[in-house]
Amino acid sequence: MSAAVDYPVSLAVEDFVPVLLTTVGVLLLRHSVPERRAVLAAAVLIGCGGAAKATAKLLAATGHGDHAWLRGMLFPLLTLGFGLLCLILMRQGGRVPLWLRILVPGLIAVCTAGAVLSGDPIVFLVSTTVFATLAGIRLIGTARRRGDIVAANLFGLQLLVFFILGSLASRPDQTVALQWGEQLSNTVAQAAFAYAAWRLATASQHPATDPTQETR
């Protein structure tokens, strides 16, 4: 199939929307944690990874060739971004748990070796999934502790769609209709993530006067 058939221009352009929503959502998390510069770095890595894949789609759709190196940047950059975000969110009492300090660099190293040996960056999907899952679970827990069930459910929705899309993306018969379904679902999920992050940011800037509300 030609690139134009695989990636209509409209489909390629829409792919930038969930990337923007995810990046904005991560940036909003800066208001919920003290490590704002680290969150900014995570947002840049995640945003660049998604933008690289979307740009590759757009170039293919407009007849400018298949740039495998751009597509291949997606999961390595997502791994670094979500790995960093995971370390930030899981910090407790100013310290990151020892098991996580071992897991993040260790898994990145293993996936890097696997990608080099196999010649395929898709290996980084494993580390991306692990780090994104840990970060999502942490965000769900944080929202619940703050009594924001809406945000907790939205973070849970985003995580559920992440797993569903991961299985759909592995299917070989990627029709245009299927890709539209995947991208629109991803857009809804990332919009939910961004809104949930905004709710956490708003709560952090305007904390409740009753401290018992934080644990309800």
Side-chain angles (χ1 to χ4, degrees), residues 195-213:
Y195 178 59
W198 175 81
R199 290 178 67 95
L200 283 188
T202 302
S204 298
Q205 292 174 338
H206 304 285
T209 55
D210 180 3
T212 61
Q213 293 181 6

Side-chain angles (χ1 to χ4, degrees), residues 146-216:
R146 297 184 180 184
D148 194 339
I149 303 303
V150 172
N153 289 335
L154 290 175
F155 283 130
L157 172 64
Q158 188 267 344
L159 197 56
L160 176 62
V161 173
F162 175 79
F163 284 117
I164 294 175
L165 293 181
S167 62
L168 289 177
S170 62
R171 292 180 54 174
D173 54 331
Q174 290 291 312
T175 64
V176 171
L178 177 59
Q179 291 181 70
W180 267 115
E182 292 171 351
Q183 285 190 196
L184 291 177
S185 297
N186 192 30
T187 297
V188 171
Q190 301 312 322
F193 172 78
Y195 178 59
W198 175 81
R199 290 178 67 95
L200 283 188
T202 302
S204 298
Q205 292 174 338
H206 304 285
T209 55
D210 180 3
T212 61
Q213 293 181 6
E214 290 296 313
T215 57
R216 286 180 185 175

Side-chain angles (χ1 to χ4, degrees), residues 50-209:
K53 177 66 179 294
T55 300
K57 268 191 175 184
L58 185 59
L59 290 173
T62 54
H64 290 84
D66 179 20
H67 299 267
W69 67 275
L70 268 178
R71 289 188 286 106
M73 290 175 64
L74 174 64
F75 289 118
L77 288 176
L78 289 186
T79 281
L80 295 175
F82 279 111
L84 178 57
L85 184 62
C86 186
L87 290 171
I88 297 166
L89 296 177
M90 297 289 284
R91 186 182 296 272
Q92 298 176 338
R95 292 181 60 84
V96 178
L98 177 61
W99 66 269
L100 192 62
R101 282 184 281 151
I102 296 174
L103 175 66
V104 172
L107 188 53
I108 291 176
V110 169
C111 288
T112 300
V116 171
L117 292 174
S118 65
D120 191 344
I122 193 63
V123 177
F124 284 101
L125 176 59
V126 175
S127 48
T128 297
T129 300
V130 171
F131 300 152
T133 300
L134 290 174
I137 291 174
R138 183 66 170 182
L139 287 170
I140 293 172
T142 299
R144 288 180 63 86
R145 285 194 302 275
R146 297 184 180 184
D148 194 339
I149 303 303
V150 172
N153 289 335
L154 290 175
F155 283 130
L157 172 64
Q158 188 267 344
L159 197 56
L160 176 62
V161 173
F162 175 79
F163 284 117
I164 294 175
L165 293 181
S167 62
L168 289 177
S170 62
R171 292 180 54 174
D173 54 331
Q174 290 291 312
T175 64
V176 171
L178 177 59
Q179 291 181 70
W180 267 115
E182 292 171 351
Q183 285 190 196
L184 291 177
S185 297
N186 192 30
T187 297
V188 171
Q190 301 312 322
F193 172 78
Y195 178 59
W198 175 81
R199 290 178 67 95
L200 283 188
T202 302
S204 298
Q205 292 174 338
H206 304 285
T209 55

